[in-house]
Amino acid sequence: MKYETLHNLSIPKIGFGCWTIGGEGVANPADDERSLTALRSAVELGYRHFDTAEYYAAGHSEELLGQVLCESGKPREAFFVTSKVSPEHLAYDDVLRSCAASLRRLGLETLDLYLIHWPVRGMNLPETFRALNQLVREGRVRALGVSNFNLKLLKEAQSLSETPLLTNQAPYSIPDRSYVENGVLAYCQANDILLTAYSPVKSRFFRGKKLADFAREKGSTPFQIGLAWLVRQPRVIAIPTSFNPQHQADNLSAQNLELSQADMDYLNSLV
Ligand SMILES: NC(=O)c1ccc[n+]([C@@H]2O[C@H](COP(=O)([O-])OP(=O)(O)OC[C@H]3O[C@@H](n4cnc5c(N)ncnc54)[C@H](OP(=O)(O)O)[C@@H]3O)[C@@H](O)[C@H]2O)c1
């Protein structure tokens, strides 16, 4: 397993995203067996970093993840678990309540990482961070981060966090360089903040012929190339989602794919 190590934490470069585990905006218990099977196979294959949120399936994603982590019999320290507070819960009391509810649903005493899921107009970040900092001081959360924050908001969050911000989770993939263009990636790399790439392979781009030809030459799939391209970059980690065990295995093993600088330049030139 490849890791990013910073601020006394080691975070697997490839994690497992839990969006659609348990449902989408609402819980869909009818699909539980499929979700549980996907999570069990991810743990079995060696995924150790799981990304969920109170928003995912209205908390049911956290419940199913908690169930599978518990039944794995592995020690708590074996896993790195991220959850997120929703934008409508950014007031001081609401953050504390949301975190307590996420921990309860996950069956955990501590979250490894807790993120503001996305920013909203009119949010009171000092108030939110007053609660987030308290959660760290109380040992309910090991590290704080944000998601979908532009550079200005990221700097503001950084100034309010009593501990180093661990990540900004953002869309990033070969065809989506918006967080390169807005200066966030370079800022993260210069300031020891991870950029956690979400939706790393969710694009029609990964079904294109040029990428397919390149992947074939490397003995891999276009999706693996997309993930290898991400995790080759310093301070970049990725959290693909898949319900398909073969895809899950492919995605995890993408971290072992070697790409040269010439390969990176070629892939950059494809979009
Ligand atoms: N912070 C945020 O606002 C935010 C927003 C979006 C997502 N996220 C996080 O990021 C995670 C991943 O993002 P995402 O679900 O949007 O996109 P993604 O992981 O890039 O794409 C998922 C899709 O790609 C397919 N896929 C994955 N690996 C594949 C492979 N090796 N071969 C072929 N198909 C493959 C999956 O289908 P199969 O199931 O058939 O493999 C699924 O349809 C989410 O689960 C969530 O944790 C965060």
PDB file of all heavy atoms in Angstrom, residues 17-19 51 56 84 117-118 147-148 169 198-202 207 221 223 239-244 247 250-251, ligand 1:
ATOM      1  N   GLY A  17     -14.427   5.324  -2.004  1.00  0.00           N
ATOM      2  CA  GLY A  17     -15.494   6.307  -1.834  1.00  0.00           C
ATOM      3  C   GLY A  17     -16.823   5.618  -1.587  1.00  0.00           C
ATOM      4  O   GLY A  17     -17.157   4.628  -2.239  1.00  0.00           O
ATOM      5  N   CYS A  18     -17.595   6.131  -0.639  1.00  0.00           N
ATOM      6  CA  CYS A  18     -18.860   5.464  -0.240  1.00  0.00           C
ATOM      7  C   CYS A  18     -20.116   6.166  -0.737  1.00  0.00           C
ATOM      8  O   CYS A  18     -21.201   5.895  -0.229  1.00  0.00           O
ATOM      9  CB  CYS A  18     -18.907   5.296   1.271  1.00  0.00           C
ATOM     10  SG  CYS A  18     -17.677   4.136   1.871  1.00  0.00           S
ATOM     11  N   TRP A  19     -19.987   7.077  -1.693  1.00  0.00           N
ATOM     12  CA  TRP A  19     -21.187   7.653  -2.306  1.00  0.00           C
ATOM     13  C   TRP A  19     -21.919   6.541  -3.072  1.00  0.00           C
ATOM     14  O   TRP A  19     -21.271   5.789  -3.802  1.00  0.00           O
ATOM     15  CB  TRP A  19     -20.801   8.805  -3.238  1.00  0.00           C
ATOM     16  CG  TRP A  19     -21.918   9.304  -4.108  1.00  0.00           C
ATOM     17  CD1 TRP A  19     -21.936   9.313  -5.474  1.00  0.00           C
ATOM     18  CD2 TRP A  19     -23.166   9.894  -3.690  1.00  0.00           C
ATOM     19  NE1 TRP A  19     -23.105   9.862  -5.922  1.00  0.00           N
ATOM     20  CE2 TRP A  19     -23.884  10.220  -4.850  1.00  0.00           C
ATOM     21  CE3 TRP A  19     -23.729  10.158  -2.431  1.00  0.00           C
ATOM     22  CZ2 TRP A  19     -25.148  10.812  -4.816  1.00  0.00           C
ATOM     23  CZ3 TRP A  19     -24.996  10.739  -2.387  1.00  0.00           C
ATOM     24  CH2 TRP A  19     -25.689  11.064  -3.570  1.00  0.00           C
ATOM     25  N   ASP A  51     -14.109   6.771   2.605  1.00  0.00           N
ATOM     26  CA  ASP A  51     -14.623   8.134   2.602  1.00  0.00           C
ATOM     27  C   ASP A  51     -16.151   8.106   2.574  1.00  0.00           C
ATOM     28  O   ASP A  51     -16.747   7.595   1.627  1.00  0.00           O
ATOM     29  CB  ASP A  51     -14.116   8.864   1.345  1.00  0.00           C
ATOM     30  CG  ASP A  51     -14.676  10.269   1.256  1.00  0.00           C
ATOM     31  OD1 ASP A  51     -14.096  11.173   1.870  1.00  0.00           O
ATOM     32  OD2 ASP A  51     -15.722  10.470   0.590  1.00  0.00           O
ATOM     33  N   TYR A  56     -24.474  11.051   2.644  1.00  0.00           N
ATOM     34  CA  TYR A  56     -24.600   9.859   1.799  1.00  0.00           C
ATOM     35  C   TYR A  56     -25.688   8.936   2.352  1.00  0.00           C
ATOM     36  O   TYR A  56     -25.580   8.417   3.472  1.00  0.00           O
ATOM     37  CB  TYR A  56     -23.268   9.096   1.717  1.00  0.00           C
ATOM     38  CG  TYR A  56     -22.140   9.858   1.046  1.00  0.00           C
ATOM     39  CD1 TYR A  56     -20.854   9.342   0.999  1.00  0.00           C
ATOM     40  CD2 TYR A  56     -22.353  11.115   0.458  1.00  0.00           C
ATOM     41  CE1 TYR A  56     -19.817  10.035   0.384  1.00  0.00           C
ATOM     42  CE2 TYR A  56     -21.327  11.816  -0.157  1.00  0.00           C
ATOM     43  CZ  TYR A  56     -20.060  11.268  -0.184  1.00  0.00           C
ATOM     44  OH  TYR A  56     -19.036  11.961  -0.780  1.00  0.00           O
ATOM     45  N   LYS A  84     -18.052  13.611   6.726  1.00  0.00           N
ATOM     46  CA  LYS A  84     -18.206  15.036   6.381  1.00  0.00           C
ATOM     47  C   LYS A  84     -19.477  15.597   6.997  1.00  0.00           C
ATOM     48  O   LYS A  84     -20.499  14.900   7.055  1.00  0.00           O
ATOM     49  CB  LYS A  84     -18.294  15.207   4.853  1.00  0.00           C
ATOM     50  CG  LYS A  84     -17.276  14.409   4.068  1.00  0.00           C
ATOM     51  CD  LYS A  84     -17.320  14.716   2.589  1.00  0.00           C
ATOM     52  CE  LYS A  84     -16.514  13.716   1.785  1.00  0.00           C
ATOM     53  NZ  LYS A  84     -17.196  12.444   1.510  1.00  0.00           N
ATOM     54  N   HIS A 117     -18.357  19.482   3.999  1.00  0.00           N
ATOM     55  CA  HIS A 117     -18.627  18.811   2.719  1.00  0.00           C
ATOM     56  C   HIS A 117     -18.557  19.764   1.529  1.00  0.00           C
ATOM     57  O   HIS A 117     -17.983  19.452   0.502  1.00  0.00           O
ATOM     58  CB  HIS A 117     -19.991  18.115   2.781  1.00  0.00           C
ATOM     59  CG  HIS A 117     -20.122  16.994   1.809  1.00  0.00           C
ATOM     60  ND1 HIS A 117     -20.894  15.897   2.034  1.00  0.00           N
ATOM     61  CD2 HIS A 117     -19.576  16.778   0.594  1.00  0.00           C
ATOM     62  CE1 HIS A 117     -20.816  15.061   1.011  1.00  0.00           C
ATOM     63  NE2 HIS A 117     -20.023  15.586   0.122  1.00  0.00           N
ATOM     64  N   TRP A 118     -19.215  20.906   1.633  1.00  0.00           N
ATOM     65  CA  TRP A 118     -19.036  21.939   0.618  1.00  0.00           C
ATOM     66  C   TRP A 118     -19.429  23.286   1.218  1.00  0.00           C
ATOM     67  O   TRP A 118     -20.218  23.339   2.165  1.00  0.00           O
ATOM     68  CB  TRP A 118     -19.777  21.624  -0.691  1.00  0.00           C
ATOM     69  CG  TRP A 118     -21.264  21.594  -0.671  1.00  0.00           C
ATOM     70  CD1 TRP A 118     -22.113  22.645  -0.875  1.00  0.00           C
ATOM     71  CD2 TRP A 118     -22.122  20.444  -0.480  1.00  0.00           C
ATOM     72  NE1 TRP A 118     -23.430  22.219  -0.811  1.00  0.00           N
ATOM     73  CE2 TRP A 118     -23.464  20.881  -0.583  1.00  0.00           C
ATOM     74  CE3 TRP A 118     -21.882  19.090  -0.231  1.00  0.00           C
ATOM     75  CZ2 TRP A 118     -24.551  20.016  -0.434  1.00  0.00           C
ATOM     76  CZ3 TRP A 118     -22.969  18.233  -0.087  1.00  0.00           C
ATOM     77  CH2 TRP A 118     -24.280  18.693  -0.191  1.00  0.00           C
ATOM     78  N   SER A 147     -13.819  20.483   1.723  1.00  0.00           N
ATOM     79  CA  SER A 147     -14.095  19.878   0.422  1.00  0.00           C
ATOM     80  C   SER A 147     -14.744  20.919  -0.472  1.00  0.00           C
ATOM     81  O   SER A 147     -15.576  21.706   0.004  1.00  0.00           O
ATOM     82  CB  SER A 147     -15.010  18.669   0.609  1.00  0.00           C
ATOM     83  OG  SER A 147     -15.294  18.072  -0.632  1.00  0.00           O
ATOM     84  N   ASN A 148     -14.339  20.918  -1.712  1.00  0.00           N
ATOM     85  CA  ASN A 148     -14.896  21.853  -2.707  1.00  0.00           C
ATOM     86  C   ASN A 148     -14.609  23.305  -2.339  1.00  0.00           C
ATOM     87  O   ASN A 148     -15.408  24.197  -2.637  1.00  0.00           O
ATOM     88  CB  ASN A 148     -16.409  21.638  -2.855  1.00  0.00           C
ATOM     89  CG  ASN A 148     -16.757  20.234  -3.299  1.00  0.00           C
ATOM     90  OD1 ASN A 148     -16.346  19.815  -4.370  1.00  0.00           O
ATOM     91  ND2 ASN A 148     -17.473  19.481  -2.471  1.00  0.00           N
ATOM     92  N   GLN A 169     -10.801  18.124  -0.346  1.00  0.00           N
ATOM     93  CA  GLN A 169     -11.290  17.075  -1.243  1.00  0.00           C
ATOM     94  C   GLN A 169     -11.995  17.762  -2.414  1.00  0.00           C
ATOM     95  O   GLN A 169     -12.892  18.588  -2.194  1.00  0.00           O
ATOM     96  CB  GLN A 169     -12.242  16.144  -0.482  1.00  0.00           C
ATOM     97  CG  GLN A 169     -12.679  14.966  -1.320  1.00  0.00           C
ATOM     98  CD  GLN A 169     -13.602  14.009  -0.582  1.00  0.00           C
ATOM     99  OE1 GLN A 169     -14.734  13.782  -0.991  1.00  0.00           O
ATOM    100  NE2 GLN A 169     -13.122  13.443   0.515  1.00  0.00           N
ATOM    101  N   TYR A 198     -11.717  13.428  -5.860  1.00  0.00           N
ATOM    102  CA  TYR A 198     -12.986  12.690  -5.980  1.00  0.00           C
ATOM    103  C   TYR A 198     -13.420  12.626  -7.442  1.00  0.00           C
ATOM    104  O   TYR A 198     -12.898  13.363  -8.271  1.00  0.00           O
ATOM    105  CB  TYR A 198     -14.058  13.219  -5.030  1.00  0.00           C
ATOM    106  CG  TYR A 198     -14.794  14.510  -5.357  1.00  0.00           C
ATOM    107  CD1 TYR A 198     -15.628  14.626  -6.465  1.00  0.00           C
ATOM    108  CD2 TYR A 198     -14.716  15.588  -4.488  1.00  0.00           C
ATOM    109  CE1 TYR A 198     -16.342  15.787  -6.718  1.00  0.00           C
ATOM    110  CE2 TYR A 198     -15.427  16.762  -4.735  1.00  0.00           C
ATOM    111  CZ  TYR A 198     -16.241  16.848  -5.852  1.00  0.00           C
ATOM    112  OH  TYR A 198     -16.951  17.998  -6.090  1.00  0.00           O
ATOM    113  N   SER A 199     -14.344  11.732  -7.705  1.00  0.00           N
ATOM    114  CA  SER A 199     -14.757  11.432  -9.095  1.00  0.00           C
ATOM    115  C   SER A 199     -13.519  11.252  -9.991  1.00  0.00           C
ATOM    116  O   SER A 199     -13.449  11.830 -11.084  1.00  0.00           O
ATOM    117  CB  SER A 199     -15.676  12.529  -9.642  1.00  0.00           C
ATOM    118  OG  SER A 199     -16.813  12.686  -8.815  1.00  0.00           O
ATOM    119  N   PRO A 200     -12.556  10.428  -9.560  1.00  0.00           N
ATOM    120  CA  PRO A 200     -11.297  10.346 -10.296  1.00  0.00           C
ATOM    121  C   PRO A 200     -11.402   9.646 -11.653  1.00  0.00           C
ATOM    122  O   PRO A 200     -10.541   9.846 -12.513  1.00  0.00           O
ATOM    123  CB  PRO A 200     -10.393   9.542  -9.353  1.00  0.00           C
ATOM    124  CG  PRO A 200     -11.337   8.713  -8.537  1.00  0.00           C
ATOM    125  CD  PRO A 200     -12.558   9.586  -8.350  1.00  0.00           C
ATOM    126  N   VAL A 201     -12.463   8.819 -11.826  1.00  0.00           N
ATOM    127  CA  VAL A 201     -12.589   8.107 -13.113  1.00  0.00           C
ATOM    128  C   VAL A 201     -13.995   8.237 -13.704  1.00  0.00           C
ATOM    129  O   VAL A 201     -14.361   7.489 -14.599  1.00  0.00           O
ATOM    130  CB  VAL A 201     -12.218   6.599 -12.969  1.00  0.00           C
ATOM    131  CG1 VAL A 201     -10.742   6.445 -12.622  1.00  0.00           C
ATOM    132  CG2 VAL A 201     -13.085   5.880 -11.928  1.00  0.00           C
ATOM    133  N   LYS A 202     -14.760   9.203 -13.183  1.00  0.00           N
ATOM    134  CA  LYS A 202     -16.155   9.321 -13.617  1.00  0.00           C
ATOM    135  C   LYS A 202     -16.247  10.272 -14.812  1.00  0.00           C
ATOM    136  O   LYS A 202     -16.566  11.449 -14.659  1.00  0.00           O
ATOM    137  CB  LYS A 202     -16.990   9.869 -12.457  1.00  0.00           C
ATOM    138  CG  LYS A 202     -18.484   9.711 -12.651  1.00  0.00           C
ATOM    139  CD  LYS A 202     -19.185  10.351 -11.482  1.00  0.00           C
ATOM    140  CE  LYS A 202     -20.398   9.581 -11.082  1.00  0.00           C
ATOM    141  NZ  LYS A 202     -20.875   9.936  -9.778  1.00  0.00           N
ATOM    142  N   ARG A 207     -13.361   6.191 -21.646  1.00  0.00           N
ATOM    143  CA  ARG A 207     -13.802   5.219 -22.653  1.00  0.00           C
ATOM    144  C   ARG A 207     -13.277   5.596 -24.041  1.00  0.00           C
ATOM    145  O   ARG A 207     -13.652   4.983 -25.034  1.00  0.00           O
ATOM    146  CB  ARG A 207     -15.320   5.128 -22.666  1.00  0.00           C
ATOM    147  CG  ARG A 207     -15.874   4.858 -21.250  1.00  0.00           C
ATOM    148  CD  ARG A 207     -17.158   4.115 -21.178  1.00  0.00           C
ATOM    149  NE  ARG A 207     -17.507   3.862 -19.784  1.00  0.00           N
ATOM    150  CZ  ARG A 207     -17.294   2.716 -19.149  1.00  0.00           C
ATOM    151  NH1 ARG A 207     -16.750   1.701 -19.779  1.00  0.00           N
ATOM    152  NH2 ARG A 207     -17.623   2.572 -17.869  1.00  0.00           N
ATOM    153  N   THR A 221      -5.778  -0.921 -17.572  1.00  0.00           N
ATOM    154  CA  THR A 221      -7.041  -0.390 -18.104  1.00  0.00           C
ATOM    155  C   THR A 221      -6.985   1.150 -18.064  1.00  0.00           C
ATOM    156  O   THR A 221      -6.203   1.728 -17.298  1.00  0.00           O
ATOM    157  CB  THR A 221      -8.246  -0.841 -17.251  1.00  0.00           C
ATOM    158  OG1 THR A 221      -8.222  -0.119 -16.012  1.00  0.00           O
ATOM    159  CG2 THR A 221      -8.224  -2.342 -16.984  1.00  0.00           C
ATOM    160  N   PHE A 223      -8.964   3.120 -16.655  1.00  0.00           N
ATOM    161  CA  PHE A 223      -9.310   3.571 -15.300  1.00  0.00           C
ATOM    162  C   PHE A 223      -8.070   3.497 -14.395  1.00  0.00           C
ATOM    163  O   PHE A 223      -7.820   4.394 -13.584  1.00  0.00           O
ATOM    164  CB  PHE A 223     -10.456   2.720 -14.733  1.00  0.00           C
ATOM    165  CG  PHE A 223     -11.700   2.820 -15.563  1.00  0.00           C
ATOM    166  CD1 PHE A 223     -11.907   1.972 -16.652  1.00  0.00           C
ATOM    167  CD2 PHE A 223     -12.653   3.780 -15.296  1.00  0.00           C
ATOM    168  CE1 PHE A 223     -13.042   2.087 -17.436  1.00  0.00           C
ATOM    169  CE2 PHE A 223     -13.799   3.907 -16.075  1.00  0.00           C
ATOM    170  CZ  PHE A 223     -13.986   3.053 -17.158  1.00  0.00           C
ATOM    171  N   ILE A 239     -10.031   8.610  -4.281  1.00  0.00           N
ATOM    172  CA  ILE A 239     -11.043   7.785  -3.596  1.00  0.00           C
ATOM    173  C   ILE A 239     -12.089   7.278  -4.594  1.00  0.00           C
ATOM    174  O   ILE A 239     -13.263   7.663  -4.526  1.00  0.00           O
ATOM    175  CB  ILE A 239     -11.707   8.571  -2.438  1.00  0.00           C
ATOM    176  CG1 ILE A 239     -12.107   9.991  -2.879  1.00  0.00           C
ATOM    177  CG2 ILE A 239     -10.786   8.631  -1.228  1.00  0.00           C
ATOM    178  CD1 ILE A 239     -13.038  10.685  -1.872  1.00  0.00           C
ATOM    179  N   PRO A 240     -11.683   6.397  -5.518  1.00  0.00           N
ATOM    180  CA  PRO A 240     -12.668   5.863  -6.466  1.00  0.00           C
ATOM    181  C   PRO A 240     -13.727   5.014  -5.768  1.00  0.00           C
ATOM    182  O   PRO A 240     -13.475   4.447  -4.704  1.00  0.00           O
ATOM    183  CB  PRO A 240     -11.820   4.994  -7.395  1.00  0.00           C
ATOM    184  CG  PRO A 240     -10.650   4.582  -6.544  1.00  0.00           C
ATOM    185  CD  PRO A 240     -10.369   5.762  -5.656  1.00  0.00           C
ATOM    186  N   THR A 241     -14.890   4.924  -6.398  1.00  0.00           N
ATOM    187  CA  THR A 241     -15.985   4.066  -5.928  1.00  0.00           C
ATOM    188  C   THR A 241     -16.227   2.968  -6.945  1.00  0.00           C
ATOM    189  O   THR A 241     -16.264   3.260  -8.154  1.00  0.00           O
ATOM    190  CB  THR A 241     -17.301   4.877  -5.881  1.00  0.00           C
ATOM    191  OG1 THR A 241     -17.152   5.929  -4.964  1.00  0.00           O
ATOM    192  CG2 THR A 241     -18.472   4.006  -5.459  1.00  0.00           C
ATOM    193  N   SER A 242     -16.435   1.764  -6.489  1.00  0.00           N
ATOM    194  CA  SER A 242     -16.897   0.718  -7.398  1.00  0.00           C
ATOM    195  C   SER A 242     -17.628  -0.368  -6.623  1.00  0.00           C
ATOM    196  O   SER A 242     -17.218  -0.735  -5.528  1.00  0.00           O
ATOM    197  CB  SER A 242     -15.715   0.099  -8.153  1.00  0.00           C
ATOM    198  OG  SER A 242     -16.193  -0.965  -8.940  1.00  0.00           O
ATOM    199  N   PHE A 243     -18.677  -0.875  -7.241  1.00  0.00           N
ATOM    200  CA  PHE A 243     -19.404  -2.009  -6.664  1.00  0.00           C
ATOM    201  C   PHE A 243     -18.897  -3.317  -7.259  1.00  0.00           C
ATOM    202  O   PHE A 243     -19.329  -4.387  -6.845  1.00  0.00           O
ATOM    203  CB  PHE A 243     -20.910  -1.869  -6.951  1.00  0.00           C
ATOM    204  CG  PHE A 243     -21.614  -0.926  -6.006  1.00  0.00           C
ATOM    205  CD1 PHE A 243     -21.421   0.439  -6.071  1.00  0.00           C
ATOM    206  CD2 PHE A 243     -22.475  -1.420  -5.029  1.00  0.00           C
ATOM    207  CE1 PHE A 243     -22.069   1.304  -5.194  1.00  0.00           C
ATOM    208  CE2 PHE A 243     -23.132  -0.564  -4.139  1.00  0.00           C
ATOM    209  CZ  PHE A 243     -22.924   0.802  -4.227  1.00  0.00           C
ATOM    210  N   ASN A 244     -18.019  -3.212  -8.246  1.00  0.00           N
ATOM    211  CA  ASN A 244     -17.565  -4.390  -8.980  1.00  0.00           C
ATOM    212  C   ASN A 244     -16.210  -4.838  -8.422  1.00  0.00           C
ATOM    213  O   ASN A 244     -15.225  -4.085  -8.485  1.00  0.00           O
ATOM    214  CB  ASN A 244     -17.447  -3.980 -10.456  1.00  0.00           C
ATOM    215  CG  ASN A 244     -16.924  -5.075 -11.331  1.00  0.00           C
ATOM    216  OD1 ASN A 244     -16.007  -5.798 -10.960  1.00  0.00           O
ATOM    217  ND2 ASN A 244     -17.490  -5.189 -12.516  1.00  0.00           N
ATOM    218  N   HIS A 247     -13.206  -4.309 -10.642  1.00  0.00           N
ATOM    219  CA  HIS A 247     -12.840  -2.889 -10.737  1.00  0.00           C
ATOM    220  C   HIS A 247     -12.168  -2.419  -9.446  1.00  0.00           C
ATOM    221  O   HIS A 247     -11.197  -1.664  -9.474  1.00  0.00           O
ATOM    222  CB  HIS A 247     -14.085  -2.017 -11.001  1.00  0.00           C
ATOM    223  CG  HIS A 247     -14.740  -2.282 -12.319  1.00  0.00           C
ATOM    224  ND1 HIS A 247     -15.972  -1.778 -12.651  1.00  0.00           N
ATOM    225  CD2 HIS A 247     -14.330  -3.000 -13.395  1.00  0.00           C
ATOM    226  CE1 HIS A 247     -16.297  -2.168 -13.870  1.00  0.00           C
ATOM    227  NE2 HIS A 247     -15.325  -2.921 -14.338  1.00  0.00           N
ATOM    228  N   ASP A 250      -8.676  -3.668  -9.546  1.00  0.00           N
ATOM    229  CA  ASP A 250      -7.910  -2.895 -10.545  1.00  0.00           C
ATOM    230  C   ASP A 250      -7.539  -1.531  -9.969  1.00  0.00           C
ATOM    231  O   ASP A 250      -6.403  -1.066 -10.117  1.00  0.00           O
ATOM    232  CB  ASP A 250      -8.757  -2.638 -11.801  1.00  0.00           C
ATOM    233  CG  ASP A 250      -8.962  -3.887 -12.641  1.00  0.00           C
ATOM    234  OD1 ASP A 250      -8.329  -4.918 -12.350  1.00  0.00           O
ATOM    235  OD2 ASP A 250      -9.786  -3.820 -13.579  1.00  0.00           O
ATOM    236  N   ASN A 251      -8.507  -0.893  -9.327  1.00  0.00           N
ATOM    237  CA  ASN A 251      -8.271   0.466  -8.828  1.00  0.00           C
ATOM    238  C   ASN A 251      -7.197   0.481  -7.747  1.00  0.00           C
ATOM    239  O   ASN A 251      -6.325   1.353  -7.730  1.00  0.00           O
ATOM    240  CB  ASN A 251      -9.577   1.070  -8.296  1.00  0.00           C
ATOM    241  CG  ASN A 251     -10.582   1.318  -9.404  1.00  0.00           C
ATOM    242  OD1 ASN A 251     -10.245   1.239 -10.590  1.00  0.00           O
ATOM    243  ND2 ASN A 251     -11.819   1.613  -9.036  1.00  0.00           N
TER     244      ASN A 251
HETATM  245  N1  LIG B   1     -16.742  15.831  -1.560  1.00  0.00           N
HETATM  246  C1  LIG B   1     -17.611  15.785  -2.542  1.00  0.00           C
HETATM  247  O1  LIG B   1     -18.365  16.742  -2.810  1.00  0.00           O
HETATM  248  C2  LIG B   1     -17.688  14.541  -3.386  1.00  0.00           C
HETATM  249  C3  LIG B   1     -18.403  14.546  -4.600  1.00  0.00           C
HETATM  250  C4  LIG B   1     -18.414  13.367  -5.354  1.00  0.00           C
HETATM  251  C5  LIG B   1     -17.754  12.234  -4.882  1.00  0.00           C
HETATM  252  N2  LIG B   1     -17.097  12.260  -3.687  1.00  0.00           N
HETATM  253  C6  LIG B   1     -16.383  11.058  -3.162  1.00  0.00           C
HETATM  254  O2  LIG B   1     -15.585  10.502  -4.189  1.00  0.00           O
HETATM  255  C7  LIG B   1     -15.944   9.142  -4.402  1.00  0.00           C
HETATM  256  C8  LIG B   1     -15.735   8.774  -5.856  1.00  0.00           C
HETATM  257  O3  LIG B   1     -16.402   9.660  -6.719  1.00  0.00           O
HETATM  258  P1  LIG B   1     -17.555   9.226  -7.737  1.00  0.00           P
HETATM  259  O4  LIG B   1     -18.300   8.084  -7.208  1.00  0.00           O
HETATM  260  O5  LIG B   1     -18.252  10.493  -8.090  1.00  0.00           O
HETATM  261  O6  LIG B   1     -16.740   8.825  -9.063  1.00  0.00           O
HETATM  262  P2  LIG B   1     -15.700   7.698  -9.484  1.00  0.00           P
HETATM  263  O7  LIG B   1     -15.268   6.868  -8.352  1.00  0.00           O
HETATM  264  O8  LIG B   1     -14.653   8.395 -10.284  1.00  0.00           O
HETATM  265  O9  LIG B   1     -16.562   6.841 -10.529  1.00  0.00           O
HETATM  266  C9  LIG B   1     -17.432   5.835 -10.128  1.00  0.00           C
HETATM  267  C10 LIG B   1     -17.944   5.144 -11.378  1.00  0.00           C
HETATM  268  O10 LIG B   1     -16.865   4.609 -12.124  1.00  0.00           O
HETATM  269  C11 LIG B   1     -17.012   3.217 -12.308  1.00  0.00           C
HETATM  270  N3  LIG B   1     -15.684   2.607 -12.118  1.00  0.00           N
HETATM  271  C12 LIG B   1     -14.875   2.738 -11.032  1.00  0.00           C
HETATM  272  N4  LIG B   1     -13.740   2.051 -11.221  1.00  0.00           N
HETATM  273  C13 LIG B   1     -13.839   1.460 -12.422  1.00  0.00           C
HETATM  274  C14 LIG B   1     -12.972   0.594 -13.160  1.00  0.00           C
HETATM  275  N5  LIG B   1     -11.787   0.215 -12.668  1.00  0.00           N
HETATM  276  N6  LIG B   1     -13.388   0.163 -14.380  1.00  0.00           N
HETATM  277  C15 LIG B   1     -14.592   0.558 -14.884  1.00  0.00           C
HETATM  278  N7  LIG B   1     -15.449   1.360 -14.221  1.00  0.00           N
HETATM  279  C16 LIG B   1     -15.077   1.817 -13.008  1.00  0.00           C
HETATM  280  C17 LIG B   1     -17.998   2.748 -11.272  1.00  0.00           C
HETATM  281  O11 LIG B   1     -18.780   1.680 -11.755  1.00  0.00           O
HETATM  282  P3  LIG B   1     -18.691   0.169 -11.134  1.00  0.00           P
HETATM  283  O12 LIG B   1     -19.368   0.221  -9.809  1.00  0.00           O
HETATM  284  O13 LIG B   1     -19.425  -0.621 -12.173  1.00  0.00           O
HETATM  285  O14 LIG B   1     -17.248  -0.191 -11.059  1.00  0.00           O
HETATM  286  C18 LIG B   1     -18.860   3.984 -11.052  1.00  0.00           C
HETATM  287  O15 LIG B   1     -19.892   4.025 -12.029  1.00  0.00           O
HETATM  288  C19 LIG B   1     -17.405   9.071  -3.912  1.00  0.00           C
HETATM  289  O16 LIG B   1     -17.801   7.759  -3.588  1.00  0.00           O
HETATM  290  C20 LIG B   1     -17.341   9.962  -2.708  1.00  0.00           C
HETATM  291  O17 LIG B   1     -16.783   9.263  -1.604  1.00  0.00           O
HETATM  292  C21 LIG B   1     -17.038  13.397  -2.944  1.00  0.00           C
END
